[in-house]
Amino acid sequence: MKRINRIYMLSIPLAVMLSAGCSKFDKINTNPNRTTQASSSMLATNMILSVTKNSIASTKGFMQPFLLGKYLTWGEGQENFQYNRFGRTNFDRLTQLRNIPPMIAAATDEGQRKSYKALGHFIRAWLFFQCSMQVGDIPYSEAGKGESDNIIQPRYDTQKAVFLGILNELDSANTLFSQGADFAGDPIYNGKTDNWRRLANSFQLHVLINLYKKTGDADLKVTDRFKEIVANHPLMRTYKDNFALTYNATQGQNYPWSDVPAGSGNSFVKSNYTMLTTTLIDPLKAMGDRRLFYYAKPSPVKINGGMQPSDWDAYPGAEPSNSFPSLQTMRVSKDYTDLNNRYVQLVDAEPVSVYSYQEQQFILAEAALRGWIAGTPAQDYFAAGITAAMKFTAAYTPDVADYHHNMKIDDAYIQGYVTTNALIGTAANQLKQIITQKYLAGFLQGCNYSAWYEQRRTGYPVFVLNSGTNLNTPTTQFPVRWLYPSNELSYNNRNLDEAIQRQFNGSDNVNGIMWILKD
């Protein structure tokens, strides 16, 4: 039996017992009617779903990133993310690394091999990026080498080294996808290498914009890389290129928040635990943004009082930093704004993106604003991002009054909105506008804490810091990272201690400033 490839080691007594009994166990339990070898396509499917479907939880878990991003509140009980309490993360996603070598090895021809190798580079870049963004330094160069190199306690690379590796992996993915053949086992793009190449390049822009404080680093070459990609590499073209999971009526494949006979039995929906926040609703109202009527349903108290569902004032927001008892009082009163019924009643309400064309356009707008790229004004990218986000919402909303409250988004409305809400003022104000629009476009999208990362990076949108309810210590500041996994404390303690000492003077705490956040 092959040893399970983990970042940390199994205990020696357990390993001995397993190896002693493996041969007989394998012989008895091998099914002669099923393959014992995983194909490249099977492994590809598993990995792609691990970074899409598995990142998008259902029921209550689906709402956790949006509690942290202050899009909504939760009424079942006081939620840690809503009140800024962070605990330990895990590196479980990195177990997918063990599937990459066999996926490549099982390829049947050179074109397929290049594509699966490219996919492996992309998956590695994606996984390491998500892990590093949570904690800082992580195992990279020695990660996933338990089986191939007997490295069961991998050393921690600096966050700079990790990000340099991620950028190089994405460069390799671009090159190999350009040379490879369409491949099997892809539930998102049906194996089209052109789509995957565009995703890899677009995602590299996302990585680079997170390195905006490191433009002077001679190794990273942040702005040079960014310019090269924009000038010479294919990028996503429309929201139809989104790296997104599409839902349907098949049981187990319903939209994560739907509560319909075909699917989820989502008791959390029936309990009406969600209230939409002022952080989301106030900018929508201020800019006359009709996405409010697609995202939300009005307060029943306001409707009973004579307002129409198309009245902006029928949608009161909840301040997410208010005390839990006060928010419960608001919820019991029923005078609040909840999620639009389409999220509940439709099994295929909308695809959920983990990375999108809309994000790409807002990244390009920010890069143009910062002077990283020239030739196309920031306003053009900004307008394209807004347009795509609005068209996406309208395209996946049936023409039912209850789903848009007769405040429909069409081309004429979008054009007027983009003109009225153009970039203006100082660079700081324009950055605020860009990040605000990215935030609004990310409602119930981007399930890897992307809105919180953007707020951590830019300060936008502004989250209210209420020292009376903030569960961070000290209560006068927001946390900026998760704690390292408990498994690493148990099985890789020496390397972890070295990384903590190097970054945070020996204290693994949620207020420690990681390298990527330092000027």
Side-chain angles (χ1 to χ4, degrees):
M1 174 182 282
K2 292 184 178 179
R3 179 178 61 255
I4 296 174
N5 182 17
R6 309 181 80 119
I7 292 176
Y8 50 87
M9 64 161 53
L10 292 168
S11 66
I12 292 175
L14 178 60
V16 171
M17 287 189 294
L18 286 174
S19 61
C22 277
S23 178
K24 186 175 181 180
F25 180 87
D26 286 348
K27 181 180 292 186
I28 294 173
N29 288 277
T30 298
N31 183 345
N33 298 316
R34 297 185 65 182
T35 179
T36 58
Q37 295 293 325
S39 66
S40 295
S41 61
M42 292 168 58
L43 293 167
T45 301
N46 180 275
M47 286 189 287
I48 293 168
L49 290 179
S50 78
V51 300
T52 52
K53 183 179 181 179
N54 293 356
S55 296
I56 305 166
S58 60
T59 63
K60 180 179 177 180
F62 179 56
M63 292 301 169
Q64 291 299 309
F66 308 108
L67 289 172
L68 184 59
K70 317 306 180 193
Y71 286 103
L72 46 84
T73 71
W74 190 260
E76 181 190 19
Q78 183 170 280
E79 286 292 317
N80 285 340
F81 274 177
Q82 183 179 327
Y83 292 103
N84 313 307
R85 174 177 283 168
F86 281 14
R88 296 196 178 279
T89 187
N90 62 68
F91 289 163
D92 290 355
R93 55 168 49 95
L94 295 184
T95 59
Q96 286 294 330
L97 297 175
R98 67 188 178 210
N99 290 325
I100 295 174
M103 176 184 68
I104 297 168
T108 55
D109 60 59
E110 187 59 22
Q112 294 278 301
R113 187 171 293 105
K114 286 184 176 180
S115 294
Y116 285 123
K117 191 173 181 180
L119 178 62
H121 282 299
F122 175 82
I123 294 293
R124 282 175 56 86
W126 183 275
L127 296 176
F128 286 122
F129 177 82
Q130 304 301 339
C131 284
S132 185
M133 287 290 283
Q134 286 193 313
V135 295
D137 294 1
I138 59 171
Y140 171 68
S141 58
E142 294 182 353
K145 293 186 176 181
E147 186 168 358
S148 61
D149 297 272
N150 199 32
I151 298 175
I152 53 181
Q153 292 178 313
R155 67 179 177 85
Y156 278 61
D157 296 88
T158 66
Q159 192 171 41
K160 174 182 171 177
V162 174
F163 269 76
L164 184 57
I166 289 169
L167 295 173
N168 290 335
E169 302 249 22
L170 293 170
D171 282 340
S172 295
N174 168 66
T175 300
L176 288 162
F177 276 132
S178 73
Q179 300 168 351
D182 291 349
F183 60 94
D186 171 20
I188 306 297
Y189 296 128
N190 198 29
K192 300 297 183 184
T193 55
D194 179 66
N195 287 97
W196 279 99
R197 187 182 179 197
R198 292 175 187 278
L199 172 63
N201 293 327
S202 181
F203 182 60
Q204 185 166 176
L205 299 184
H206 177 68
V207 175
L208 289 165
I209 207 70
N210 276 280
L211 292 167
Y212 79 103
K213 291 187 176 183
K214 308 300 180 182
T215 54
D217 191 289
D219 299 316
L220 293 167
K221 298 181 176 63
V222 172
T223 56
D224 288 345
R225 285 178 181 269
F226 202 101
K227 290 175 184 176
E228 169 65 18
I229 293 169
V230 174
N232 298 312
H233 295 181
L235 297 171
M236 294 169 130
R237 298 154 295 188
T238 73
Y239 66 79
K240 294 179 181 179
D241 287 339
N242 288 359
F243 192 36
L245 199 64
T246 301
Y247 298 90
N248 57 58
T250 304
Q251 187 169 357
Q253 297 179 23
N254 304 151
Y255 183 77
W257 199 241
S258 66
D259 183 28
V260 290
S264 60
N266 195 341
S267 61
F268 293 105
V269 172
K270 296 176 181 177
S271 302
N272 298 114
Y273 287 138
T274 52
M275 297 192 298
L276 302 190
T277 67
T278 52
T279 317
L280 173 67
I281 290 176
D282 285 358
L284 290 170
K285 288 181 177 179
M287 292 184 287
D289 195 322
R290 289 187 181 180
R291 282 175 290 184
L292 173 68
F293 303 98
Y294 287 71
Y295 290 171
K297 67 179 178 182
S299 157
V301 173
K302 295 292 191 287
I303 299 303
N304 291 337
M307 289 187 182
Q308 297 299 312
S310 57
D311 289 338
W312 297 89
D313 289 338
Y315 298 81
E319 168 48 54
S321 69
N322 283 351
S323 69
F324 182 72
S326 69
L327 290 173
Q328 284 296 79
T329 299
M330 183 178 185
R331 192 169 76 91
V332 171
S333 77
K334 300 188 183 301
D335 191 14
Y336 66 89
T337 302
D338 202 350
L339 290 162
N340 191 289
N341 281 336
R342 69 188 178 97
Y343 298 113
V344 178
Q345 296 171 355
L346 300 176
V347 294
D348 57 348
E350 62 188 22
V352 177
S353 302
V354 289
Y355 189 75
S356 71
Y357 168 78
Q358 297 92 295
E359 290 178 77
Q360 171 190 285
Q361 295 308 102
F362 293 127
I363 289 167
L364 290 167
E366 181 179 342
L369 179 65
R370 294 185 183 279
W372 291 10
I373 51 177
T376 301
Q379 172 61 31
D380 289 6
Y381 293 122
F382 181 65
I386 295 171
T387 300
M390 288 190 168
K391 283 182 175 291
F392 170 85
T393 297
Y396 289 102
T397 302
D399 189 6
V400 175
D402 199 34
Y403 297 163
H404 54 55
H405 303 109
N406 296 314
M407 294 291 278
K408 289 197 280 188
I409 293 173
D410 56 23
D411 290 345
Y413 167 76
I414 294 172
Q415 182 57 51
Y417 179 93
V418 167
T419 301
T420 302
N421 294 286
L423 294 175
I424 58 171
T426 64
N429 187 70
Q430 291 183 49
L431 178 63
K432 178 182 178 181
Q433 289 179 274
I434 292 167
I435 303 303
T436 298
Q437 285 294 339
K438 187 187 290 189
Y439 180 80
L440 298 178
F443 180 63
L444 301 188
Q445 298 286 319
C447 295
N448 288 296
Y449 311 113
S450 52
W452 184 80
Y453 289 139
E454 284 295 284
Q455 205 282 336
R456 179 181 72 174
R457 182 176 73 87
T458 68
Y460 301 121
V462 175
F463 293 166
V464 174
L465 181 60
N466 183 342
S467 61
T469 61
N470 185 16
L471 296 179
N472 189 41
T473 302
T475 60
T476 53
Q477 66 186 71
F478 290 111
V480 292
R481 59 180 294 274
W482 279 257
L483 301 175
Y484 279 108
S486 57
N487 281 333
E488 291 292 286
L489 290 171
S490 300
Y491 300 108
N492 198 14
N493 185 260
R494 179 177 59 82
N495 289 314
L496 175 59
D497 281 350
E498 180 184 330
I500 293 171
Q501 185 63 48
R502 179 171 65 226
Q503 298 173 93
F504 311 119
N505 296 319
S507 175
D508 182 19
N509 72 88
V510 297
N511 304 304
I513 307 299
M514 63 180 69
W515 170 84
I516 200 172
L517 301 177
K518 294 179 179 179
D519 293 321

